[in-house]
Amino acid sequence: MSWDGMIMIRRLHLEGANAIAGLTWGFPAITNFLGFTHALQRKLAGEFGVEFLKCAVICHWHQALTNDNNYYQTFNITRNPLDKSGNTASINEEGKMHCEVSLVIAYREGDDIELDDENYDALEHRILELTKASKVAGGRVERVKSVKILAKPYVEENTPKLLRSLLPGFALVSRHPLLEEAQQKYRDKHSNQSNHDLSAWLQFAQIRHQSTQENTDGEDDTSPKIIWERIQETEGWIKPIAVGYQAISPLYEPGEMALLRDMAVSSRHVEWLYSLGEWISPHRVNGFDEIFWQYDYRNDSQYLCVNDYESIL
């Protein structure tokens, strides 16, 4: 999908962002950032006529609000106010985290409005204003370092420089082909099991170690030395991630489902979809198209966030 330029929102500091996404935890799901991008576009479309197409996420710093008890971690959950009867309110408190991210948004100009230098300044100011007043991934925006709009010709001429300017930090990319390969290997190795796909995916969420006995070359073997080594089948910082939703019910007409935020739109029940992602240094990619995420609607039943990192390589 072609784009006309980029908007770089640098050093967005979030307090109390969602740290849990379905079965995964540690960082907000990519759906949170594409949702923020979409909400930003809706607020700006009538004024500037821009369309936001894709979004890249670079994490500079993060801190999950947990207690570390050596073998496991527990979230620090807030104590919510009691209801009018004095009982605990029926609120499922989510795990929270603090983080600092930079967002890179690819945009396309509208047919009626062409951005110039004057519009650039106005749009940058408006984006900064709206971002500071927004919630991103459920977290409060404490500060934003800067907002800068860059035309595509400038980006293409200065891509390596712009990518290095996002350091220190790591960009999230999709490694779904790696998951498909792991699932096929698991099917071949464990043909008698039925949950191949889930088991293969869970391997990337585990920290596994294997013991080996050190060769003593004929010395006293009464107390052989045991060496423990971590098993890591793939290189890189690869983690399970949530990438969207799968419909599990028919589409209901507006007003049929109760307790919705917006009773004027159609709705349905969904469940999380999962894949694999990898955190990579921005200076190791060839261009921004490798780290951009975008929406992909499939068969009217899947709401996905996709990234072309491996297909571009």
Side-chain angles (χ1 to χ4, degrees):
M1 186 182 297
S2 61
W3 43 279
D4 298 324
M6 294 189 330
I7 300 167
M8 302 187 75
I9 306 177
R10 293 183 180 274
R11 297 285 180 167
L12 186 66
H13 188 91
L14 304 178
E15 295 280 334
N18 294 328
I20 299 176
L23 299 176
T24 67
W25 76 276
F27 195 75
I30 194 66
T31 53
N32 289 276
F33 299 104
L34 283 179
F36 166 72
T37 302
H38 180 65
L40 200 60
Q41 178 200 309
R42 293 187 63 182
K43 296 173 183 177
L44 295 168
E47 186 176 354
F48 293 94
V50 293
E51 181 183 3
F52 293 166
L53 306 173
K54 311 174 185 180
C55 178
V57 180
I58 294 88
C59 180
H60 304 287
W61 168 84
H62 66 94
Q63 178 189 17
L65 302 183
T66 61
N67 289 321
D68 191 350
N69 296 313
N70 294 327
Y71 292 104
Y72 61 89
Q73 289 178 280
T74 56
F75 276 104
N76 298 326
I77 305 298
T78 60
R79 182 67 165 90
N80 297 299
L82 302 178
D83 59 20
K84 60 183 179 181
S85 61
N87 298 318
T88 302
S90 57
I91 299 175
N92 291 327
E93 181 66 25
E94 292 281 354
K96 300 295 183 181
M97 68 179 300
H98 305 326
C99 60
E100 189 170 87
V101 299
S102 290
L103 302 181
V104 183
I105 301 172
Y107 71 87
R108 182 166 56 198
E109 297 178 1
D111 298 331
D112 301 328
I113 302 177
E114 184 174 346
L115 294 178
D116 53 23
D117 291 341
E118 183 177 348
N119 284 339
Y120 277 176
D121 294 339
L123 182 55
E124 287 173 355
H125 177 76
R126 187 76 175 118
I127 291 174
L128 180 60
E129 185 180 61
L130 290 172
T131 301
K132 288 181 176 180
S134 300
K135 276 200 167 186
V136 181
R140 302 181 305 277
V141 178
E142 293 296 317
R143 59 182 179 270
V144 182
K145 182 177 180 180
S146 65
V147 175
K148 188 67 176 176
I149 299 177
L150 306 171
K152 190 171 185 178
Y154 177 84
V155 174
E156 292 175 339
E157 293 174 4
N158 298 274
T159 294
K161 177 182 177 181
L162 292 171
L163 288 169
R164 288 195 301 270
S165 72
L166 295 169
L167 298 174
F170 293 89
L172 181 64
V173 297
S174 172
R175 296 301 307 274
H176 189 70
L178 180 63
L179 175 61
E180 293 177 326
E181 180 182 340
Q183 288 172 335
Q184 185 58 53
K185 288 181 179 179
Y186 201 91
R187 292 189 196 100
D188 297 337
K189 187 176 181 180
H190 305 277
S191 57
N192 60 329
Q193 296 185 13
S194 58
N195 57 343
H196 305 114
D197 293 348
L198 177 61
S199 297
W201 179 76
L202 287 174
Q203 286 184 343
F204 295 91
Q206 302 169 350
I207 299 177
R208 296 179 294 162
H209 292 80
Q210 180 176 336
S211 65
T212 57
Q213 181 175 325
E214 188 178 51
N215 186 7
T216 57
D217 295 329
E219 297 179 6
D220 184 12
D221 294 338
T222 56
S223 301
K225 184 177 181 181
I226 303 299
I227 300 176
W228 286 90
E229 296 179 345
R230 181 174 176 179
I231 302 174
Q232 188 170 356
E233 297 181 1
T234 57
E235 296 182 356
W237 195 359
I238 298 173
K239 298 294 180 182
I241 59 173
V243 292
Y245 305 96
Q246 167 72 50
I248 57 175
S249 77
L251 186 64
Y252 296 106
E253 295 298 322
E256 284 192 70
M257 290 181 65
L259 305 177
L260 298 178
R261 289 184 179 180
D262 190 344
M263 301 298 292
V265 299
S266 302
S267 55
R268 69 192 340 162
H269 295 287
V270 299
E271 63 182 5
W272 281 102
L273 289 174
Y274 302 98
S275 183
L276 290 180
E278 181 177 3
W279 292 100
I280 60 174
S281 180
H283 79 284
R284 294 189 179 275
V285 301
N286 298 315
F288 284 93
D289 283 323
E290 293 184 16
I291 60 176
F292 277 136
W293 290 80
Q294 62 184 337
Y295 293 120
D296 185 13
Y297 305 99
R298 300 182 180 180
N299 305 322
D300 194 35
S301 63
Q302 290 186 349
Y303 170 89
L304 282 173
C305 302
V306 297
N307 162 259
D308 294 329
Y309 172 70
E310 289 202 77
S311 63
I312 292 176
L313 294 181

